[in-house]
């Protein structure tokens, strides 16, 4: 199962959702890999606490190999995989180097290389999660081509609602042209405040418009910031916390529907 988390709008919790679902998946016993494709490397920092030069080689090095003529003729490209401190959870790191590589990768149309790599890695991992940049660029496009399932985070505000329609249209066009097997698993409501009428109204509007809103909403909580600061997924930092249990419930919904 290759699952991508994507929204063009920034600040909607993509990395938090990808990392916590991956951590919950690993805790459930699935051999799980998270692939960080964002040059900001938030998921890499979240799972390792490492930044800049301390980050092990990862997806940027893989993409460099794809640009090398020496490895182009039939030779398998390799990617370094980093073990996390959590059982069953491994990581392919990102770094700012991805920004410098992007134009070269686009000019050589290396859009299918990630899919080939992840298909090979699927032999070793039962679940692969992909964290993406907040833009429909080369890396996000590669992830959507490589994935089987798509989760779209939705932060409860009117701007996010407008952006969501744009994302759905872009994804449908890409699905038809490049990856017919890609399924939109659903919209993940994030930063939900149950007592706020606006949030419930926005969700009702999305449902009335036919959006596939998932039934588990992720609550707004300062605990998530504490989780980021500690570089420990919430499902490990505070497993009995309401938000941590919502991540587990969300994973259960996804696994039962898979």
């Amino acid at each position: 199962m290759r699952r991508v988390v994507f929204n063009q709008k920034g600040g909607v919790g993509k990395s938090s959702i990808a990392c916590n679902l991956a951590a919950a998946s690993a805790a459930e016993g699935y051999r799980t890999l998270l692939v960080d494709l964002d040059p900001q490397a938030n998921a890499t920092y979240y799972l390792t606490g490492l930044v800049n030069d301390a980050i092990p080689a990862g997806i940027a090095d893989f993409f460099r190999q794809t640009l090398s003529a020496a490895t182009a003729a039939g030779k398998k490209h390799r990617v370094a995989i980093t073990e996390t401190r959590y059982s069953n959870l491994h990581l392919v790191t990102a770094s700012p180097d991805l920004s410098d590589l992007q134009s070269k990768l686009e000019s050589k149309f290396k859009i299918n290389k990630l899919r080939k790599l992840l298909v090979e890695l699927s032999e070793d991992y039962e679940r692969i999660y992909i964290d993406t940049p907040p833009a429909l660029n080369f890396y996000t496009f590669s992830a959507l081509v490589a994935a089987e399932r798509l989760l779209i985070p939705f932060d409860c505000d009117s701007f996010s609602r407008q952006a969501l329609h744009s994302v759905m249209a872009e994804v449908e066009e890409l699905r038809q042209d490049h990856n017919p097997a890609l399924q939109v698993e659903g919209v993940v409501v994030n930063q939900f405040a149950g007592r706020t009428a606006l949030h419930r109204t926005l969700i009702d509007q999305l449902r009335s418009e036919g959006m596939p809103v998932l039934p588990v909403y992720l609550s707004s909580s300062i605990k998530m910031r504490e989780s980021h600061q500690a570089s420990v997924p919430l499902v490990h930092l505070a497993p009995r916390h309401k938000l941590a249990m919502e991540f587990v419930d969300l994973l259960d919904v996804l696994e039962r529907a898979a």
Side-chain angles (χ1 to χ4, degrees), residues 62-63 66 72 77 110-118:
F62 164 76
F63 281 122
T66 70
H77 301 299
K110 299 292 186 177
I111 208 70
N112 291 302
K113 294 297 184 180
L114 182 66
R115 174 165 57 184
K116 182 178 179 182
L117 173 70
L118 298 189

Side-chain angles (χ1 to χ4, degrees), residues 186-213:
V187 174
V188 180
V189 174
N190 193 31
Q191 297 289 331
F192 178 70
R195 296 181 181 179
T196 304
L198 172 62
H199 288 191
R200 293 197 174 277
T201 299
L202 284 170
I203 292 170
D204 289 343
Q205 289 173 339
L206 290 179
R207 290 189 184 280
S208 69
E209 293 162 356
M211 291 290 178
V213 179

Side-chain angles (χ1 to χ4, degrees), residues 146-176:
E148 298 169 293
R149 305 294 175 91
L150 167 65
L151 294 174
I152 306 174
F154 171 74
D155 204 350
C156 289
D157 65 53
S158 296
F159 294 122
S160 289
R161 179 177 166 232
Q162 296 167 19
L164 187 57
H165 287 275
S166 175
V167 169
M168 293 294 284
E170 294 277 6
V171 166
E172 179 57 25
E173 182 177 354
L174 181 145
R175 194 187 68 80
Q176 291 183 14

